[in-house]
Amino acid sequence: MPLQISGEHRRAFTVIRIVGEVDKTAEPRLREKIDEALASASPRLLFDLSSMNFIDSCGLRLLVQASSRAHRCGGTCALCCPKPSTRRLMRLTGLDAAFDVYPTLGDALAEARPESPATARLP
């Protein structure tokens, strides 16, 4: 499935929805969307992963960089709706401790308690 990336402002968040596979070839397009979202003061990024089928190390690195940059600007970065394979990969790499993870987009937008709260901040 070809990668589709969209961004929209919902409540206080910039929601970046990823559809398809994130790999090295998709990196420039995702980076561009992240850069746009980080242009605001105190950015609040929320990645909707409900339709993301695959992510490689390049994609994970972009998420980590987005989180780090958002926090340096006084903002936040969270994930919602990751599929089981993505959850497993994040758990294996230890990245599950670096992001607030919400089960649904609605929970994230309502700022409900994350099912996996960040316990570590990325540099």
Side-chain angles (χ1 to χ4, degrees):
M1 169 181 272
L3 179 71
Q4 297 174 18
I5 304 167
S6 61
E8 66 176 320
H9 295 285
R10 295 194 53 189
R11 299 191 186 165
F13 297 91
T14 298
V15 178
I16 298 175
R17 184 165 190 259
I18 301 171
V19 177
E21 299 183 356
V22 178
D23 58 18
K24 185 175 176 85
T25 61
E27 183 179 5
R29 290 181 51 215
L30 182 54
R31 180 181 304 281
E32 181 180 331
K33 187 60 73 177
I34 290 169
D35 288 346
E36 289 173 15
L38 288 170
S40 66
S42 299
R44 298 188 71 196
L45 304 182
L46 176 58
F47 288 92
D48 178 353
L49 308 180
S50 60
S51 298
M52 185 181 74
N53 300 323
F54 173 82
I55 188 166
D56 70 3
S57 61
C58 292
L60 287 175
R61 181 172 38 88
L62 281 178
L63 294 180
V64 167
Q65 289 172 345
S67 179
S68 180
R69 290 172 60 197
H71 286 102
R72 280 196 310 263
C73 297
T76 63
C77 184
L79 311 176
C80 70
C81 313
K83 292 186 176 186
S85 59
T86 302
R87 286 180 191 275
R88 182 173 184 270
L89 179 61
M90 294 191 74
R91 189 174 54 254
L92 289 171
T93 59
L95 291 177
D96 59 335
F99 293 93
D100 286 341
V101 180
Y102 296 88
T104 69
L105 179 59
D107 286 337
L109 293 174
E111 299 184 65
R113 170 182 270 181
E115 65 181 8
S116 175
T119 57
R121 289 292 172 219
L122 301 168

